């Protein structure tokens, strides 16, 4: 099959029925291959899966055909799927008595155990230690860690409209189709739009509006309740590969995307992106990304990882397989990356999440912009925690210190207390509150903070609790009330305490 020709989607429902009937699903693969072979696939290692599919069952055939991309006997293919239709529609080609796939079809489990399938170019599974190894312009990748990360952090609530900008193989559009009435997917690569059509059709999802173009150009002045994008954020010297290189200098593509998103959001709408940003000599990275936040929007920006420029260059040179080329060519390309960073004063590159929310408070000149570094493990899906973060910011903006002391709070679910100190010591050196949900944060508190958090069950106002603590600790209750609201604010902001509203926690 030529690079410009992709399967037809009209009869995708019949192929979908055959795949599910053969248990060619996320759960079916795990059961058939076993955990070690299944995990090896995520590392682009196929030998264990080949060993586990040596029989001629329909599932074994489909794994070898679409997942491992080996030719299979035509008779076995005919037993596993509607072969003649698949040949006519272009999903497979017949070569003598053998059949081979023309596209990569990967089972993918939806958040509510849906059986979905992501369609992408052959040989472009993401996540292997050696990268996809493709240097072909216009290639369309399948599902990788970045894709699933963005899907997990996205706020999932019923909305009228959603935009997947830079759709690739369509995984974000597929998720959005479950809770948005209208989904628009865009990409500068028309081939990606075709793959998104296939992914939606083969997954049994409603079709999306598919538009070709860069950034927000295809949608004009249209606004949305949700915007998501896993853009080509790699900071590289040039734009060799459409799927990863944005074609703008430095981190300009990411900054442009974020700056322009505010005008495309409806009130209370969310825009969520993955991004890279430069760490430049003489500049705080927090100030750099904070400057991207558009007027009228609150923001939560989380840096998840930082790499020095040599690590970063090596990562993406391996991703495109350049480390397997002529050593002199590899060295030349490596030099060009370092030249680019040196010219821009870039000493490192950060990776993380950017979430915007359009709000009336931000439009009135009181935005909440939180920029932080959190490289630790989190609990996915994180979408509910993202929505709760902005709800807490709203609450804190609306409550001054006096209102906090009159408010009721409850300890969040699965928060535990740890006491740290020398063995045998009568009193701990410090107390740590630790979350086991969401961001899984930990924070040090003093004796007052620990005691306050421990008795917060929503029954008493904060001021009354502090008065009781003051009496127990022989402290001046007025001074304790004066100094404690800031600590309460921090515990609320980070999700350790939840305000109680009309008898129920604010979630």
């Amino acid at each position: 099959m030529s690079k410009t020709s992709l399967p037809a989607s009209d009869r995708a429902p019949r192929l979908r029925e055959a795949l599910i009937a053969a248990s060619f699903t996320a759960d079916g693969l795990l059961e058939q291959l076993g955990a070690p072979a299944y995990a090896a696939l995520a590392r682009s290692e196929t030998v264990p899966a080949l060993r586990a599919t040596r029989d001629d069952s329909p599932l074994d055939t489909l794994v070898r055909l679409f997942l491992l991309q080996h030719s299979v006997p035509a008779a076995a293919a005919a037993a596993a799927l509607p072969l003649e239709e698949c040949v006519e529609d272009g999903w497979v080609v017949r070569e003598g008595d053998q059949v081979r796939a023309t596209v990569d079809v990967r089972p993918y489990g939806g958040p509510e155990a849906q059986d979905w399938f992501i369609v992408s170019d052959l040989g472009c599974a993401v996540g292997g230690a050696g990268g996809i190894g493709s240097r072909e312009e216009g290639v369309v990748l399948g599902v990788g860690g970045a894709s699933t990360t963005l899907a997990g952090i996205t706020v999932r609530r019923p909305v009228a409209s959603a935009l997947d900008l830079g759709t690739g193989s369509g995984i974000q559009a597929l998720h959005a189709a479950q809770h948005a009435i209208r989904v628009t997917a865009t990409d500068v690569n028309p081939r990606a739009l075709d793959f998104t059509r296939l992914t939606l059709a083969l997954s049994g999802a409603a079709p999306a509006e598919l538009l070709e173009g860069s950034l927000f150009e295809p949608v004009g002045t249209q606004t949305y309740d949700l915007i998501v994008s896993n853009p080509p954020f790699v900071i590289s010297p040039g734009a060799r590969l459409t799927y990863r290189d944005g074609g703008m200098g430095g981190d300009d593509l990411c900054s442009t995307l974020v700056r322009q998103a505010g005008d495309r959001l409806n009130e209370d709408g969310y825009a969520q992106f993955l991004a890279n940003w430069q760490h430049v000599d003489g500049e705080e990275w927090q100030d750099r990304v904070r400057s991207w936040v558009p007027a009228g929007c609150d923001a939560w920006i989380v840096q998840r990882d930082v790499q020095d420029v040599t690590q970063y260059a090596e990562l993406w040179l391996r991703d495109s397989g350049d480390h397997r080329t002529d050593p002199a060519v590899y060295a030349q390309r490596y030099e060009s990356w370092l030249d680019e960073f040196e010219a821009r004063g870039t000493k490192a590159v950060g990776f993380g999440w950017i979430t915007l929310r359009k709000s009336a408070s931000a439009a009135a000149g009181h935005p909440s912009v939180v920029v932080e570094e959190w490289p630790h493990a989190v609990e996915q899906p994180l979408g509910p925690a993202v929505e709760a973060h902005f709800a807490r910011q709203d609450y804190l903006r609306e409550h001054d210190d006096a209102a906090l002391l009159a408010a009721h709070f409850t300890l969040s679910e699965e928060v535990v207390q740890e006491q740290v100190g020398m063995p045998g010591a009568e009193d701990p050196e410090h107390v740590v509150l630790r979350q086991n949900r969401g961001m899984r944060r930990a924070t040090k508190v003093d004796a007052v903070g620990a005691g306050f958090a421990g008795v917060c069950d929503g029954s008493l106002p904060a001021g009354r609790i502090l008065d009781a603590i003051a009496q127990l600790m022989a402290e001046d209750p007025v001074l304790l009330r004066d100094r404690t609201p800031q600590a309460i604010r921090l515990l609320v902001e980070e999700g350790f305490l939840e305000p109680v509203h009309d008898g129920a926690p604010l979630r």
Side-chain angles (χ1 to χ4, degrees):
M1 172 170 284
S2 70
K3 260 305 185 194
T4 57
S5 178
L6 289 175
S9 60
D10 295 348
R11 291 187 285 193
R14 282 177 52 80
L15 174 57
R16 170 180 171 80
E17 291 175 3
L19 299 179
I20 293 175
S23 296
F24 187 65
T25 62
D27 289 342
L29 287 181
L30 180 58
E31 182 176 349
Q32 178 75 359
L33 301 181
Y38 190 79
L41 284 177
R43 304 190 298 271
S44 295
E45 296 291 349
T46 60
V47 172
L50 283 169
R51 290 174 60 86
T53 56
R54 287 181 286 196
D55 296 333
D56 291 328
S57 71
L59 178 54
D60 290 337
T61 298
L62 293 173
V63 170
R64 287 181 169 243
L65 179 65
F66 286 121
L67 206 60
L68 306 181
Q69 290 147 28
H70 282 231
S71 294
V72 300
L81 46 78
L83 181 57
E84 297 309 318
E85 286 185 8
C86 289
V87 171
E88 290 177 17
D89 292 346
W91 293 94
V92 300
V93 293
R94 192 193 294 264
E95 297 173 334
D97 63 351
Q98 297 289 302
V99 171
R100 64 173 176 83
T102 61
V103 290
D104 184 308
V105 177
R106 301 257 156 176
Y108 177 77
E112 297 180 1
Q114 300 100 322
D115 291 320
W116 290 344
F117 301 93
I118 310 299
V119 189
S120 63
D121 270 315
L122 292 172
C124 291
V126 184
I132 67 164
S134 176
R135 295 181 295 280
E136 186 170 353
E137 173 66 20
V139 71
V140 177
L141 273 59
V143 178
S147 301
T148 55
T149 292
L150 179 58
I153 68 173
T154 298
V155 173
R156 302 293 176 194
R157 56 179 184 167
V159 294
S161 58
L163 170 64
D164 175 15
L165 192 153
T167 186
S169 55
I171 180 176
Q172 309 306 330
L174 178 56
H175 276 277
Q178 312 308 305
H179 62 103
I181 296 172
R182 176 174 60 87
V183 176
T184 300
T186 70
D187 207 290
V188 70
N189 181 4
R191 187 174 176 81
L193 299 177
D194 289 335
F195 273 115
T196 294
R197 182 182 293 107
L198 294 174
T199 289
L200 294 173
L202 197 57
S203 298
E209 178 187 30
L210 304 175
L211 302 175
E212 181 183 347
S214 178
L215 296 175
F216 290 101
E217 179 271 329
V219 300
T221 59
Q222 181 67 50
T223 57
Y224 299 87
D225 301 312
L226 174 67
I227 299 171
V228 292
S229 182
N230 176 17
F233 54 68
V234 176
I235 300 172
S236 61
R240 292 171 55 211
L241 302 174
T242 301
Y243 73 86
R244 71 169 200 192
D245 302 325
M248 296 185 184
D251 52 19
D252 287 353
L253 182 135
C254 291
S255 67
T256 301
L257 179 61
V258 175
R259 293 176 196 274
Q260 293 182 354
D263 290 336
R264 274 43 177 224
L265 278 178
N266 294 325
E267 186 68 21
D268 295 324
Y270 285 87
Q272 298 187 261
F273 315 106
L274 303 184
N276 272 166
W277 43 78
Q278 299 171 106
H279 286 223
V280 178
D281 283 328
E283 176 187 75
E284 295 294 330
W285 72 266
Q286 294 94 334
D287 294 336
R288 184 179 191 86
V289 294
R290 188 180 285 111
S291 72
W292 299 356
V293 177
C297 288
D298 300 318
W300 186 19
I301 300 170
V302 183
Q303 180 167 273
R304 296 287 290 159
D305 188 29
V306 182
Q307 292 182 310
D308 67 47
V309 293
T310 60
Q311 291 174 312
Y312 188 81
E314 291 162 12
L315 168 68
W316 293 109
L317 287 167
R318 287 192 176 93
D319 170 81
S320 56
D322 286 308
H323 61 305
R324 302 191 189 101
T325 62
D326 184 317
V329 174
Y330 174 77
Q332 182 182 32
R333 286 180 173 158
Y334 199 153
E335 285 274 7
S336 68
W337 283 70
L338 297 185
D339 288 344
E340 174 80 3
F341 289 134
E342 184 176 353
R344 295 181 176 278
T346 303
K347 59 185 178 180
V349 177
F351 165 80
W353 317 324
I354 298 177
T355 298
L356 306 177
R357 185 194 60 165
K358 197 156 191 175
S359 76
S361 294
H366 306 289
S368 165
V369 179
V370 176
V371 182
E372 63 175 317
E373 186 165 14
W374 189 255
H376 311 293
V378 300
E379 180 193 43
Q380 287 277 35
L382 201 65
V386 172
E387 193 169 12
H389 165 88
F390 288 97
R392 293 194 299 269
Q393 295 300 320
D394 288 343
Y395 177 87
L396 292 172
R397 274 187 295 211
E398 295 164 1
H399 290 72
D400 59 16
D401 288 354
L404 282 182
L405 292 176
H408 295 238
F409 300 93
T410 185
L411 192 66
S412 299
E413 293 179 0
E414 297 193 33
V415 172
V416 297
Q417 175 178 302
E418 300 174 358
Q419 295 184 342
V420 181
M422 294 297 294
E426 184 174 345
D427 295 313
E429 293 178 14
H430 59 265
V431 175
V432 174
L433 298 182
R434 186 177 301 278
Q435 301 169 350
N436 288 313
R437 304 294 302 272
M439 291 291 284
R440 293 177 174 166
R441 297 186 187 275
T443 188
K444 289 184 182 180
V445 292
D446 60 14
V448 172
F452 181 86
V455 298
C456 277
D457 60 4
S459 62
L460 294 174
R464 289 273 303 277
I465 294 175
L466 291 178
D467 291 343
I469 291 175
Q471 184 175 3
L472 286 172
M473 301 181 68
E475 290 204 32
D476 185 329
V478 176
L479 294 179
L480 192 60
R481 278 175 172 253
D482 283 344
R483 77 169 195 258
T484 305
Q486 188 57 39
I488 296 175
R489 241 171 233 288
L490 179 63
L491 291 175
V492 172
E493 180 175 350
E494 295 192 341
F496 291 94
L497 294 178
E498 296 180 359
V500 174
H501 179 68
D502 290 337
L506 177 68
R507 297 261 171 91

